[in-house]
Short mmCIF file of all heavy atoms in Angstrom, two decimals:
data_model
loop_
_atom_site.label_atom_id
_atom_site.label_comp_id
_atom_site.label_asym_id
_atom_site.label_seq_id
_atom_site.Cartn_x
_atom_site.Cartn_y
_atom_site.Cartn_z
N ALA A 291 63.19 112.75 -22.62
CA ALA A 291 62.15 113.79 -22.58
C ALA A 291 61.56 113.90 -21.18
O ALA A 291 61.32 115.02 -20.68
CB ALA A 291 61.05 113.47 -23.59
N GLN A 292 61.32 112.78 -20.54
CA GLN A 292 60.73 112.79 -19.19
C GLN A 292 61.67 113.45 -18.18
O GLN A 292 61.25 114.27 -17.36
CB GLN A 292 60.40 111.35 -18.76
CG GLN A 292 59.83 111.23 -17.37
CD GLN A 292 60.91 111.01 -16.32
OE1 GLN A 292 61.80 110.18 -16.50
NE2 GLN A 292 60.83 111.74 -15.23
N ILE A 293 62.96 113.11 -18.23
CA ILE A 293 63.92 113.73 -17.30
C ILE A 293 63.98 115.23 -17.55
O ILE A 293 64.01 116.04 -16.61
CB ILE A 293 65.32 113.10 -17.44
CG1 ILE A 293 65.29 111.62 -17.03
CG2 ILE A 293 66.34 113.85 -16.59
CD1 ILE A 293 66.59 110.88 -17.30
N ALA A 294 64.01 115.61 -18.82
CA ALA A 294 64.10 117.03 -19.17
C ALA A 294 62.92 117.82 -18.62
O ALA A 294 63.10 118.90 -18.03
CB ALA A 294 64.18 117.19 -20.69
N ARG A 295 61.72 117.30 -18.79
CA ARG A 295 60.52 118.02 -18.36
C ARG A 295 60.32 117.93 -16.85
O ARG A 295 60.15 118.95 -16.16
CB ARG A 295 59.29 117.47 -19.08
CG ARG A 295 59.22 117.82 -20.53
CD ARG A 295 58.95 119.30 -20.75
NE ARG A 295 57.60 119.66 -20.29
CZ ARG A 295 57.18 120.89 -20.07
NH1 ARG A 295 58.01 121.90 -20.26
NH2 ARG A 295 55.95 121.13 -19.67
N ASP A 296 60.31 116.72 -16.30
CA ASP A 296 60.01 116.53 -14.88
C ASP A 296 61.14 116.98 -13.98
O ASP A 296 60.91 117.47 -12.87
CB ASP A 296 59.70 115.05 -14.59
CG ASP A 296 58.38 114.60 -15.19
OD1 ASP A 296 57.59 115.47 -15.61
OD2 ASP A 296 58.14 113.38 -15.22
N GLY A 297 62.38 116.79 -14.42
CA GLY A 297 63.52 117.10 -13.58
C GLY A 297 64.03 118.52 -13.72
O GLY A 297 64.39 119.16 -12.72
N PHE A 298 64.06 119.01 -14.95
CA PHE A 298 64.73 120.29 -15.20
C PHE A 298 63.81 121.38 -15.72
O PHE A 298 64.25 122.52 -15.91
CB PHE A 298 65.88 120.08 -16.20
CG PHE A 298 67.01 119.27 -15.64
CD1 PHE A 298 67.03 117.89 -15.82
CD2 PHE A 298 68.03 119.86 -14.91
CE1 PHE A 298 68.07 117.12 -15.31
CE2 PHE A 298 69.07 119.10 -14.39
CZ PHE A 298 69.08 117.73 -14.59
N GLY A 299 62.55 121.06 -15.96
CA GLY A 299 61.63 122.08 -16.46
C GLY A 299 62.03 122.63 -17.81
O GLY A 299 61.82 123.80 -18.11
N MET A 300 62.62 121.78 -18.66
CA MET A 300 63.03 122.20 -19.99
C MET A 300 61.84 122.17 -20.94
O MET A 300 60.85 121.46 -20.71
CB MET A 300 64.14 121.29 -20.51
CG MET A 300 65.39 121.27 -19.65
SD MET A 300 66.68 120.15 -20.27
CE MET A 300 67.31 121.11 -21.65
N GLN A 301 61.93 122.93 -22.01
CA GLN A 301 60.98 122.84 -23.10
C GLN A 301 61.48 121.75 -24.06
O GLN A 301 62.65 121.76 -24.43
CB GLN A 301 60.87 124.17 -23.84
CG GLN A 301 60.49 125.34 -22.95
CD GLN A 301 59.14 125.13 -22.28
OE1 GLN A 301 58.18 124.73 -22.93
NE2 GLN A 301 59.08 125.40 -20.98
N VAL A 302 60.62 120.82 -24.41
CA VAL A 302 61.05 119.69 -25.23
C VAL A 302 60.26 119.64 -26.53
O VAL A 302 59.03 119.60 -26.52
CB VAL A 302 60.88 118.35 -24.49
CG1 VAL A 302 61.31 117.19 -25.37
CG2 VAL A 302 61.68 118.35 -23.18
N GLN A 303 60.98 119.67 -27.64
CA GLN A 303 60.38 119.41 -28.95
C GLN A 303 61.09 118.21 -29.56
O GLN A 303 62.25 117.94 -29.24
CB GLN A 303 60.49 120.63 -29.85
CG GLN A 303 61.90 121.13 -30.12
CD GLN A 303 61.90 122.37 -31.00
OE1 GLN A 303 60.87 122.89 -31.37
NE2 GLN A 303 63.09 122.85 -31.34
N TYR A 304 60.39 117.51 -30.43
CA TYR A 304 60.99 116.29 -30.95
C TYR A 304 60.51 116.01 -32.37
O TYR A 304 59.44 116.46 -32.79
CB TYR A 304 60.67 115.09 -30.05
CG TYR A 304 59.22 114.66 -30.09
CD1 TYR A 304 58.78 113.68 -31.00
CD2 TYR A 304 58.28 115.20 -29.21
CE1 TYR A 304 57.46 113.28 -31.03
CE2 TYR A 304 56.95 114.80 -29.23
CZ TYR A 304 56.55 113.82 -30.15
OH TYR A 304 55.24 113.43 -30.19
N ALA A 305 61.35 115.25 -33.08
CA ALA A 305 61.01 114.74 -34.40
C ALA A 305 61.16 113.23 -34.37
O ALA A 305 62.19 112.72 -33.92
CB ALA A 305 61.92 115.34 -35.47
N THR A 306 60.14 112.52 -34.82
CA THR A 306 60.17 111.06 -34.78
C THR A 306 59.27 110.50 -35.87
O THR A 306 58.35 111.17 -36.34
CB THR A 306 59.71 110.53 -33.40
OG1 THR A 306 59.85 109.11 -33.36
CG2 THR A 306 58.25 110.89 -33.15
N ARG A 307 59.55 109.27 -36.27
CA ARG A 307 58.70 108.59 -37.24
C ARG A 307 57.44 108.03 -36.57
O ARG A 307 56.47 107.72 -37.24
CB ARG A 307 59.48 107.44 -37.89
CG ARG A 307 60.66 107.90 -38.73
CD ARG A 307 61.49 106.71 -39.19
NE ARG A 307 62.65 107.13 -39.98
CZ ARG A 307 63.62 106.30 -40.34
NH1 ARG A 307 63.57 105.02 -40.01
NH2 ARG A 307 64.64 106.76 -41.06
N THR A 308 57.49 107.87 -35.26
CA THR A 308 56.35 107.29 -34.53
C THR A 308 55.92 108.27 -33.44
O THR A 308 56.48 108.27 -32.34
CB THR A 308 56.74 105.94 -33.91
OG1 THR A 308 57.93 106.11 -33.11
CG2 THR A 308 57.02 104.92 -34.99
N PRO A 309 54.95 109.14 -33.72
CA PRO A 309 54.48 110.12 -32.73
C PRO A 309 54.04 109.45 -31.43
O PRO A 309 53.57 108.31 -31.42
CB PRO A 309 53.31 110.79 -33.44
CG PRO A 309 53.57 110.58 -34.89
CD PRO A 309 54.24 109.24 -34.99
N LYS A 310 54.18 110.18 -30.32
CA LYS A 310 53.80 109.67 -29.00
C LYS A 310 52.81 110.64 -28.36
O LYS A 310 53.17 111.41 -27.46
CB LYS A 310 55.06 109.55 -28.13
CG LYS A 310 56.12 108.61 -28.68
CD LYS A 310 55.69 107.17 -28.60
CE LYS A 310 56.73 106.23 -29.20
NZ LYS A 310 57.99 106.19 -28.48
N PRO A 311 51.54 110.62 -28.80
CA PRO A 311 50.58 111.58 -28.26
C PRO A 311 50.38 111.45 -26.75
O PRO A 311 50.09 112.44 -26.08
CB PRO A 311 49.29 111.26 -29.03
CG PRO A 311 49.50 109.89 -29.61
CD PRO A 311 50.96 109.77 -29.84
N GLU A 312 50.56 110.25 -26.22
CA GLU A 312 50.40 110.09 -24.77
C GLU A 312 51.47 110.85 -24.01
O GLU A 312 51.22 111.41 -22.93
CB GLU A 312 50.42 108.61 -24.39
CG GLU A 312 51.75 107.88 -24.54
CD GLU A 312 52.09 107.47 -25.98
OE1 GLU A 312 51.31 107.83 -26.90
OE2 GLU A 312 53.13 106.81 -26.18
N LEU A 313 52.70 110.93 -24.57
CA LEU A 313 53.76 111.71 -23.94
C LEU A 313 53.54 113.20 -24.16
O LEU A 313 53.85 114.02 -23.30
CB LEU A 313 55.13 111.29 -24.47
CG LEU A 313 55.64 109.92 -24.05
CD1 LEU A 313 57.01 109.66 -24.65
CD2 LEU A 313 55.69 109.78 -22.55
N ASP A 314 53.02 113.55 -25.34
CA ASP A 314 52.68 114.95 -25.58
C ASP A 314 51.74 115.46 -24.50
O ASP A 314 51.91 116.57 -23.97
CB ASP A 314 52.00 115.12 -26.95
CG ASP A 314 52.89 114.70 -28.11
OD1 ASP A 314 54.11 114.53 -27.88
OD2 ASP A 314 52.37 114.56 -29.22
N ASP A 315 50.74 114.65 -24.15
CA ASP A 315 49.75 115.06 -23.16
C ASP A 315 50.34 115.07 -21.75
O ASP A 315 50.13 116.01 -20.99
CB ASP A 315 48.53 114.12 -23.21
CG ASP A 315 47.76 114.23 -24.51
OD1 ASP A 315 47.91 115.27 -25.19
OD2 ASP A 315 47.04 113.28 -24.85
N SER A 316 51.06 114.00 -21.38
CA SER A 316 51.52 113.87 -20.00
C SER A 316 52.70 114.77 -19.67
O SER A 316 52.84 115.24 -18.54
CB SER A 316 51.89 112.42 -19.68
OG SER A 316 52.97 111.98 -20.49
N LEU A 317 53.57 115.02 -20.65
CA LEU A 317 54.78 115.81 -20.40
C LEU A 317 54.76 117.17 -21.07
O LEU A 317 55.67 117.98 -20.85
CB LEU A 317 56.01 115.03 -20.88
CG LEU A 317 56.35 113.74 -20.13
CD1 LEU A 317 57.54 113.04 -20.78
CD2 LEU A 317 56.65 114.02 -18.66
N GLY A 318 53.77 117.42 -21.89
CA GLY A 318 53.74 118.71 -22.58
C GLY A 318 54.79 118.82 -23.65
O GLY A 318 55.39 119.89 -23.84
N LEU A 319 55.05 117.72 -24.37
CA LEU A 319 56.05 117.73 -25.44
C LEU A 319 55.45 118.34 -26.70
O LEU A 319 54.23 118.37 -26.88
CB LEU A 319 56.54 116.32 -25.74
CG LEU A 319 57.02 115.48 -24.55
CD1 LEU A 319 57.61 114.17 -25.06
CD2 LEU A 319 58.02 116.24 -23.71
N ARG A 320 56.33 118.76 -27.59
CA ARG A 320 55.87 119.39 -28.83
C ARG A 320 56.47 118.68 -30.03
O ARG A 320 57.66 118.81 -30.31
CB ARG A 320 56.27 120.86 -28.84
CG ARG A 320 55.80 121.61 -30.09
CD ARG A 320 55.80 123.12 -29.85
NE ARG A 320 57.13 123.61 -29.53
CZ ARG A 320 58.00 124.07 -30.44
NH1 ARG A 320 57.68 124.04 -31.73
NH2 ARG A 320 59.17 124.55 -30.07
N PRO A 321 55.66 117.88 -30.78
CA PRO A 321 56.18 117.28 -32.00
C PRO A 321 56.37 118.36 -33.06
O PRO A 321 55.59 119.31 -33.17
CB PRO A 321 55.06 116.31 -32.41
CG PRO A 321 53.82 116.84 -31.78
CD PRO A 321 54.26 117.52 -30.51
N THR A 322 57.44 118.22 -33.83
CA THR A 322 57.72 119.22 -34.86
C THR A 322 58.54 118.58 -35.96
O THR A 322 58.83 117.36 -35.93
CB THR A 322 58.45 120.43 -34.25
OG1 THR A 322 58.54 121.47 -35.21
CG2 THR A 322 59.84 120.07 -33.76
N SER A 323 58.94 119.34 -36.92
CA SER A 323 59.73 118.80 -38.03
C SER A 323 61.19 118.63 -37.62
O SER A 323 61.67 119.27 -36.67
CB SER A 323 59.66 119.74 -39.23
OG SER A 323 60.33 120.96 -38.94
N LEU A 324 61.89 117.79 -38.36
CA LEU A 324 63.32 117.60 -38.11
C LEU A 324 64.06 118.91 -38.27
O LEU A 324 64.96 119.23 -37.47
CB LEU A 324 63.86 116.55 -39.07
CG LEU A 324 65.37 116.29 -39.01
CD1 LEU A 324 65.79 115.80 -37.63
CD2 LEU A 324 65.78 115.28 -40.08
N ASP A 325 63.70 119.70 -39.27
CA ASP A 325 64.38 120.97 -39.48
C ASP A 325 64.21 121.90 -38.29
O ASP A 325 65.16 122.58 -37.88
CB ASP A 325 63.85 121.64 -40.75
CG ASP A 325 64.67 122.87 -41.11
OD1 ASP A 325 65.85 122.70 -41.50
OD2 ASP A 325 64.15 123.99 -40.98
N ASN A 326 63.01 121.93 -37.71
CA ASN A 326 62.79 122.78 -36.53
C ASN A 326 63.61 122.32 -35.35
O ASN A 326 64.11 123.14 -34.56
CB ASN A 326 61.30 122.80 -36.17
CG ASN A 326 60.48 123.66 -37.09
OD1 ASN A 326 61.02 124.50 -37.81
ND2 ASN A 326 59.17 123.44 -37.09
N VAL A 327 63.74 121.00 -35.18
CA VAL A 327 64.58 120.49 -34.09
C VAL A 327 66.02 120.92 -34.30
O VAL A 327 66.70 121.38 -33.37
CB VAL A 327 64.48 118.95 -33.99
CG1 VAL A 327 65.56 118.40 -33.05
CG2 VAL A 327 63.11 118.53 -33.49
N LEU A 328 66.50 120.79 -35.51
CA LEU A 328 67.91 121.11 -35.80
C LEU A 328 68.21 122.59 -35.71
O LEU A 328 69.31 122.99 -35.30
CB LEU A 328 68.29 120.60 -37.20
CG LEU A 328 68.28 119.09 -37.41
CD1 LEU A 328 68.54 118.76 -38.87
CD2 LEU A 328 69.31 118.40 -36.52
N THR A 329 67.26 123.43 -36.06
CA THR A 329 67.54 124.87 -36.13
C THR A 329 66.93 125.67 -34.99
O THR A 329 67.27 126.84 -34.84
CB THR A 329 67.03 125.44 -37.47
OG1 THR A 329 65.60 125.24 -37.56
CG2 THR A 329 67.71 124.75 -38.64
N GLY A 330 66.05 125.05 -34.19
CA GLY A 330 65.35 125.81 -33.15
C GLY A 330 65.50 125.26 -31.76
O GLY A 330 64.62 125.47 -30.90
N SER A 331 66.61 124.56 -31.48
CA SER A 331 66.84 123.98 -30.16
C SER A 331 68.13 124.51 -29.56
O SER A 331 69.11 124.74 -30.27
CB SER A 331 66.93 122.45 -30.25
OG SER A 331 65.77 121.88 -30.83
N ASP A 332 68.15 124.68 -28.25
CA ASP A 332 69.40 125.01 -27.57
C ASP A 332 70.31 123.79 -27.48
O ASP A 332 71.54 123.91 -27.54
CB ASP A 332 69.11 125.52 -26.15
CG ASP A 332 68.27 126.78 -26.14
OD1 ASP A 332 68.62 127.72 -26.87
OD2 ASP A 332 67.26 126.81 -25.41
N ILE A 333 69.68 122.65 -27.32
CA ILE A 333 70.40 121.38 -27.20
C ILE A 333 69.71 120.37 -28.10
O ILE A 333 68.47 120.28 -28.10
CB ILE A 333 70.39 120.86 -25.74
CG1 ILE A 333 71.04 121.87 -24.80
CG2 ILE A 333 71.07 119.49 -25.63
CD1 ILE A 333 70.70 121.65 -23.34
N ILE A 334 70.48 119.60 -28.88
CA ILE A 334 69.92 118.55 -29.73
C ILE A 334 70.50 117.22 -29.26
O ILE A 334 71.72 117.08 -29.13
CB ILE A 334 70.29 118.76 -31.21
CG1 ILE A 334 69.80 120.13 -31.69
CG2 ILE A 334 69.70 117.65 -32.07
CD1 ILE A 334 70.39 120.52 -33.04
N SER A 335 69.62 116.24 -29.02
CA SER A 335 70.07 114.92 -28.59
C SER A 335 69.52 113.87 -29.55
O SER A 335 68.31 113.79 -29.77
CB SER A 335 69.59 114.64 -27.16
OG SER A 335 70.23 113.51 -26.62
N PHE A 336 70.43 113.07 -30.12
CA PHE A 336 70.04 112.06 -31.10
C PHE A 336 69.79 110.72 -30.41
O PHE A 336 70.62 110.24 -29.62
CB PHE A 336 71.12 111.90 -32.17
CG PHE A 336 71.30 113.12 -33.02
CD1 PHE A 336 72.39 113.96 -32.85
CD2 PHE A 336 70.36 113.44 -33.98
CE1 PHE A 336 72.55 115.09 -33.63
CE2 PHE A 336 70.51 114.58 -34.77
CZ PHE A 336 71.60 115.41 -34.60
N HIS A 337 68.64 110.10 -30.72
CA HIS A 337 68.29 108.79 -30.16
C HIS A 337 67.64 107.95 -31.24
O HIS A 337 66.44 107.66 -31.20
CB HIS A 337 67.39 108.96 -28.94
CG HIS A 337 68.05 109.73 -27.85
ND1 HIS A 337 69.01 109.16 -27.02
CD2 HIS A 337 67.97 111.02 -27.48
CE1 HIS A 337 69.46 110.07 -26.19
NE2 HIS A 337 68.86 111.21 -26.45
N LEU A 338 68.47 107.55 -32.20
CA LEU A 338 68.01 106.85 -33.38
C LEU A 338 68.30 105.35 -33.28
O LEU A 338 69.18 104.94 -32.52
CB LEU A 338 68.69 107.44 -34.62
CG LEU A 338 68.29 108.89 -34.91
CD1 LEU A 338 69.30 109.57 -35.81
CD2 LEU A 338 66.90 108.94 -35.53
N PRO A 339 67.59 104.53 -34.05
CA PRO A 339 67.79 103.07 -33.97
C PRO A 339 69.13 102.65 -34.55
O PRO A 339 69.74 103.35 -35.36
CB PRO A 339 66.63 102.51 -34.79
CG PRO A 339 66.28 103.62 -35.74
CD PRO A 339 66.51 104.89 -34.99
N HIS A 340 69.57 101.44 -34.16
CA HIS A 340 70.86 100.95 -34.60
C HIS A 340 70.84 100.45 -36.04
O HIS A 340 71.91 100.27 -36.64
CB HIS A 340 71.35 99.84 -33.67
CG HIS A 340 71.92 100.37 -32.40
ND1 HIS A 340 71.13 100.91 -31.40
CD2 HIS A 340 73.20 100.47 -31.96
CE1 HIS A 340 71.89 101.32 -30.40
NE2 HIS A 340 73.15 101.07 -30.72
N HIS A 341 69.67 100.20 -36.57
CA HIS A 341 69.59 99.77 -37.96
C HIS A 341 68.52 100.58 -38.67
O HIS A 341 67.46 100.86 -38.11
CB HIS A 341 69.28 98.27 -38.04
CG HIS A 341 70.42 97.42 -37.57
ND1 HIS A 341 71.47 97.09 -38.38
CD2 HIS A 341 70.69 96.89 -36.34
CE1 HIS A 341 72.35 96.37 -37.69
NE2 HIS A 341 71.89 96.24 -36.45
N GLY A 342 68.85 100.98 -39.89
CA GLY A 342 67.92 101.77 -40.67
C GLY A 342 68.12 103.25 -40.56
O GLY A 342 67.37 104.03 -41.17
N ALA A 343 69.11 103.69 -39.78
CA ALA A 343 69.34 105.13 -39.63
C ALA A 343 70.79 105.51 -39.93
O ALA A 343 71.24 106.59 -39.55
CB ALA A 343 68.97 105.57 -38.22
N ASP A 344 71.53 104.65 -40.61
CA ASP A 344 72.91 104.97 -40.97
C ASP A 344 72.96 106.26 -41.79
O ASP A 344 72.17 106.44 -42.73
CB ASP A 344 73.52 103.83 -41.79
CG ASP A 344 73.85 102.62 -40.94
OD1 ASP A 344 73.61 102.68 -39.72
OD2 ASP A 344 74.30 101.60 -41.50
N ASN A 345 73.87 107.15 -41.40
CA ASN A 345 74.08 108.42 -42.11
C ASN A 345 72.83 109.29 -42.16
O ASN A 345 72.70 110.16 -43.03
CB ASN A 345 74.58 108.16 -43.54
CG ASN A 345 75.87 107.39 -43.58
OD1 ASN A 345 76.77 107.64 -42.79
ND2 ASN A 345 75.97 106.42 -44.48
N PHE A 346 71.93 109.08 -41.20
CA PHE A 346 70.69 109.87 -41.15
C PHE A 346 71.00 111.36 -40.99
O PHE A 346 70.36 112.21 -41.60
CB PHE A 346 69.83 109.38 -39.98
CG PHE A 346 68.53 110.12 -39.83
CD1 PHE A 346 67.38 109.68 -40.47
CD2 PHE A 346 68.44 111.25 -39.03
CE1 PHE A 346 66.18 110.36 -40.33
CE2 PHE A 346 67.26 111.94 -38.89
CZ PHE A 346 66.12 111.50 -39.55
N VAL A 347 71.98 111.67 -40.14
CA VAL A 347 72.36 113.07 -39.91
C VAL A 347 73.39 113.44 -40.96
O VAL A 347 74.58 113.15 -40.83
CB VAL A 347 72.90 113.27 -38.49
CG1 VAL A 347 73.20 114.75 -38.24
CG2 VAL A 347 71.91 112.74 -37.46
N THR A 348 72.92 114.07 -42.02
CA THR A 348 73.80 114.38 -43.15
C THR A 348 74.72 115.56 -42.84
O THR A 348 74.50 116.32 -41.89
CB THR A 348 72.96 114.71 -44.39
OG1 THR A 348 72.22 115.91 -44.13
CG2 THR A 348 72.00 113.57 -44.73
N ALA A 349 75.71 115.73 -43.71
CA ALA A 349 76.62 116.87 -43.57
C ALA A 349 75.85 118.19 -43.68
O ALA A 349 76.14 119.16 -42.96
CB ALA A 349 77.71 116.80 -44.63
N ASP A 350 74.85 118.23 -44.55
CA ASP A 350 74.06 119.45 -44.69
C ASP A 350 73.32 119.77 -43.39
O ASP A 350 73.22 120.93 -43.00
CB ASP A 350 73.07 119.29 -45.84
CG ASP A 350 72.20 120.53 -46.03
OD1 ASP A 350 72.76 121.60 -46.32
OD2 ASP A 350 70.96 120.42 -45.85
N MET A 351 72.79 118.74 -42.72
CA MET A 351 72.11 118.97 -41.43
C MET A 351 73.08 119.55 -40.41
O MET A 351 72.74 120.48 -39.66
CB MET A 351 71.52 117.66 -40.90
CG MET A 351 70.36 117.12 -41.68
SD MET A 351 69.77 115.57 -40.90
CE MET A 351 68.63 114.99 -42.15
N ILE A 352 74.29 119.01 -40.37
CA ILE A 352 75.28 119.51 -39.41
C ILE A 352 75.61 120.97 -39.70
O ILE A 352 75.74 121.79 -38.79
CB ILE A 352 76.55 118.63 -39.45
CG1 ILE A 352 76.23 117.22 -38.96
CG2 ILE A 352 77.66 119.26 -38.60
CD1 ILE A 352 77.36 116.23 -39.16
N ARG A 353 75.68 121.32 -40.96
CA ARG A 353 75.98 122.70 -41.33
C ARG A 353 74.86 123.65 -40.93
O ARG A 353 75.10 124.83 -40.65
CB ARG A 353 76.23 122.80 -42.83
CG ARG A 353 77.50 122.12 -43.31
CD ARG A 353 77.77 122.42 -44.77
NE ARG A 353 78.88 121.63 -45.27
CZ ARG A 353 78.73 120.50 -45.96
NH1 ARG A 353 77.50 120.05 -46.24
NH2 ARG A 353 79.79 119.83 -46.38
N ARG A 354 73.62 123.15 -40.93
CA ARG A 354 72.47 124.00 -40.65
C ARG A 354 72.23 124.23 -39.16
O ARG A 354 71.43 125.07 -38.78
CB ARG A 354 71.21 123.42 -41.30
CG ARG A 354 71.18 123.63 -42.80
CD ARG A 354 69.83 123.31 -43.41
NE ARG A 354 69.56 121.88 -43.46
CZ ARG A 354 68.52 121.29 -42.91
NH1 ARG A 354 67.63 121.98 -42.24
NH2 ARG A 354 68.35 119.99 -43.04
N ILE A 355 72.88 123.48 -38.30
CA ILE A 355 72.71 123.68 -36.86
C ILE A 355 73.30 125.03 -36.48
O ILE A 355 74.47 125.31 -36.77
CB ILE A 355 73.38 122.55 -36.06
CG1 ILE A 355 72.72 121.20 -36.39
CG2 ILE A 355 73.28 122.83 -34.56
CD1 ILE A 355 73.43 120.01 -35.78
N PRO A 356 72.54 125.91 -35.84
CA PRO A 356 73.05 127.26 -35.54
C PRO A 356 74.22 127.26 -34.56
O PRO A 356 74.33 126.38 -33.70
CB PRO A 356 71.82 127.94 -34.90
CG PRO A 356 70.64 127.16 -35.35
CD PRO A 356 71.12 125.74 -35.47
#
Side-chain angles (χ1 to χ4, degrees):
Q292 178 269 314
I293 296 173
R295 289 290 293 164
D296 290 347
F298 292 92
M300 301 179 75
Q301 303 300 314
V302 179
Q303 59 181 2
Y304 70 92
T306 185
R307 295 173 181 171
T308 53
K310 300 289 178 66
E312 69 281 4
L313 290 181
D314 298 347
D315 294 339
S316 63
L317 293 176
L319 308 186
R320 181 161 61 92
T322 189
S323 68
L324 176 61
D325 188 68
N326 285 342
V327 169
L328 294 174
T329 61
S331 303
D332 299 310
I333 300 163
I334 303 167
S335 192
F336 294 105
H337 299 284
L338 294 161
H340 282 72
H341 291 277
D344 286 359
N345 301 319
F346 180 91
V347 183
T348 65
D350 179 62
M351 291 181 190
I352 294 171
R353 292 188 187 98
R354 285 192 287 123
I355 298 173

